[in-house]
Amino acid sequence: MLLGKIVGLTTTKEFGFIAEARIKKLDYVSIKDSEGKWVLGIIDRVIAERGKTKGYVKVIGYRDKRGFLQTPRIPFSPDTPVYAAEGDFIKKILGISDKGAYMGLLEGYDIRVYLPVEHLIKKHIAVLAKTGAGKSYVAGVLLEEFAENGVPAVVIDPHGEYHTLSKENKNQKELRFMERFGIEPKSYQKQVKVFGINKGKPIKLNSKLSAEEIISMLPKVTEAQKGIIYSVVKSMEKREYTLRDVIDEVLSAKSNAKWNLASMLESLANTRLFSANPTGTDELVKKNQISILDLSEAKPELQSIVVMKIADELFAERKRGKIPAFILVVEEAHNFCPERGFGEVPSSKVLRTIASEGRKFGAGLMIISQRPARVDKNILSQCNTQIILKITNPNDLRAVIDSIEGATEGLKEEIKDLPVGVSLVVGVTEHPLVVDVRTRRTEHGGEGIEITEREEKEGGVLLFKKVTKEDDIKRIYKGVEDIVLINYPLWRVKTKYKGRVLFLYIDGITGEFVFQKNGFLERTKNIRLFAEMSPSERAVIVYLLNQKAATIEKIAEDLKMPVSKLKETVKVLLLKKYIETDGYMFSCKFDLDVPDFYQTQVALKPEKRSLKGITLEFMVPSSVAEKTLSVLGIGAESIEEVYYPYWIITRKGSKFAIDAITSRIEIDLIKWISRLL
Ligand SMILES: Nc1ncnc2c1ncn2[C@@H]1O[C@H](COP(=O)(O)OP(=O)(O)O)[C@@H](O)[C@H]1O
Ligand SMILES: [Mg+2]
């Protein structure tokens, strides 16, 4: 179909034409060059000018005899007719293959875009976009394709959103789009295997750790402590040993530095992640298997340790040819391989190694992040394929543009304007492709969908209504440079206490109790730690809190605990510095400030509303909140999500959290919130 004729100045790379038919940005056009070859172009801009529509075309080129993409050497002549390009021609010139991972349709066309599977394993992929733009969704699409093509994948899943690959997509809205993409609902239950902390098959890490591994897993290690670790590990090198053995050896060291070290190792061992029977690499990487490592119940530090240890072993075994080629998918990559300056975490090193050497050995990496500016630049630049969805943050845009070879400023504008679910695919073909990501065959497990579904069903989520307005805050705190509203997650637990119905709140991020005192929200400090102790440890703590001080014999008698068992418990508690002793009497140092539930009930009532602002995700699942309650002897009748509003302001470059109901500055809160934003 004729679209119009070329006018004005032309070069070999671009030209304009007056439209005689309807044209849109990103439409493909074909033109014959002066040598008679058909050339493909794409409409880059459309401008309406004095009643006329003018299209500006970027020339893509033609394929030469050897199949290479070439651009004409002579500019197009004025008056050359511009035609709408035909599907087959577009495919041929762009180099879109006919098989591989079916990702979606070329935006505006009925042309399926397949990514070559080989390419995906051999060259790393980055999926980059702001929150809610569709990263996890497109990652889900690719995982479905890996399953279709038998490509083994291991998914680092910090939010527990990928297990739904085993469920058919039943979302009504999405079912309607399936026909357009030519797909049908399907479950990959047989191929998906979930490993987790408390769900799926338990993840177990090899307990025989090298000195370097131990050091990188601990938060802060002094030189003296490093010395102890090296000598202890060296002394055991020749035999099998576990983390427990390391602790015992550390305790028999001479140096005083051992106490803190043993206590740190103790908390590592208490995670119960380490075992002499670790999860095998051959269990994780198998032909036709997608392994999901659901880390949603682990704290961030622990998540990074798991990634470090597992990625390390997978890569080592792959190098030795013990497991097939695979792809490692890392969600929230900024947390697992942060850019220097944003902190070093245990998993940084191995991910850097896989990024630079993985391709040689058939260990592919798929990095997913909403903060490209905070992902290790070296890793990003090793990703030859980029799937970019909408990004608006200038720093993140800069980082993305910098990581793409030959990217133009125009590309930046394009990325800002991408609608949800539409992606720019760079690096698969010579020219970036704009792909309308297909609907998933399986259910999407991401957060977004739950919130929208709930809103539709029940007209909102439970929310405490903010009292202060943006303007109020700006008036109270002068010189505010930036202000955002956040919705802070809390678990609302309905319970009966002393015969009356009571609503209690548990912080959805820290797992601590939230209560009200003098009108302000307060949080307990150590409930989470307390709940994680063993029953005998808890018994001793509670006893000593009530008794102030007691001897071993007295404690044993009152708690009806055998002295030998008690001694073991006491040893651990001493190590953790939760109790102390003068050698005879034991007393409690653990600060357990359980409030009187009845006196400190949160008096405010949440209402059903729709969420505005930034919503922080729950990091403590309801099951853990319930467990904490049960430790304190409270049963839950029901438990539901609610959100509490805070303003986050930036003043003189520092961030503050302000309770949006009481207007109080929350000093402690900002420390952990800012890590999440
Ligand atoms: N290609 C798509 N088709 C249909 N819906 C999509 C698509 N991409 C994203 N969405 C919708 O947008 C929401 C957010 O996408 P998600 O992938 O979870 O975002 P994020 O980038 O934060 O990982 C999803 O819940 C889904 O409803
Ligand atoms: Mg996501």
Side-chain angles (χ1 to χ4, degrees), residues 576-636:
K576 292 186 181 168
K577 299 203 172 8
Y578 292 167
I579 61 174
E580 61 188 353
T581 180
D582 55 9
Y584 179 61
M585 299 291 273
F586 289 80
S587 59
C588 191
K589 277 176 75 189
F590 189 76
D591 186 11
L592 188 69
D593 48 352
V594 182
D596 175 339
F597 307 119
Y598 202 69
Q599 297 283 327
T600 59
Q601 244 199 108
V602 175
L604 302 158
K605 266 218 180 84
E607 312 165 9
K608 281 247 160 70
R609 313 186 132 251
S610 55
L611 288 168
K612 294 203 183 72
I614 298 178
T615 303
L616 299 184
E617 292 162 27
F618 279 84
M619 293 176 71
V620 181
S622 61
S623 56
V624 171
E626 261 179 292
K627 202 178 116 207
T628 306
L629 281 170
S630 67
V631 164
L632 298 175
I634 302 167

Side-chain angles (χ1 to χ4, degrees), residues 203-215:
I203 299 175
K204 293 290 174 198
L205 306 179
N206 194 340
S207 181
K208 186 174 181 180
L209 296 163
S210 69
E212 286 81 9
E213 281 175 329
I214 295 177
I215 290 168

Side-chain angles (χ1 to χ4, degrees), residues 285-355:
V285 174
K286 259 190 201 161
K287 192 148 170 54
N288 283 317
Q289 181 172 304
I290 307 288
S291 297
I292 314 284
L293 300 189
D294 184 330
L295 303 180
S296 57
E297 288 184 334
K299 290 185 200 148
E301 311 85 75
L302 217 54
Q303 293 187 355
S304 179
I305 288 177
V306 174
V307 174
M308 161 193 158
K309 194 77 182 106
I310 288 195
D312 212 40
E313 281 174 9
L314 290 180
F315 188 48
E317 292 292 277
R318 177 58 209 148
K319 277 203 281 196
R320 294 207 249 132
K322 291 270 166 67
I323 50 173
F326 68 97
I327 181 153
L328 178 68
V329 179
V330 185
E331 258 280 1
E332 308 282 358
H334 48 278
N335 291 333
F336 297 104
C337 46
E339 169 66 349
R340 281 156 227 259
F342 289 100
E344 177 92 6
V345 297
S347 51
S348 292
K349 196 168 150 221
V350 58
L351 293 180
R352 252 179 244 140
T353 311
I354 296 181

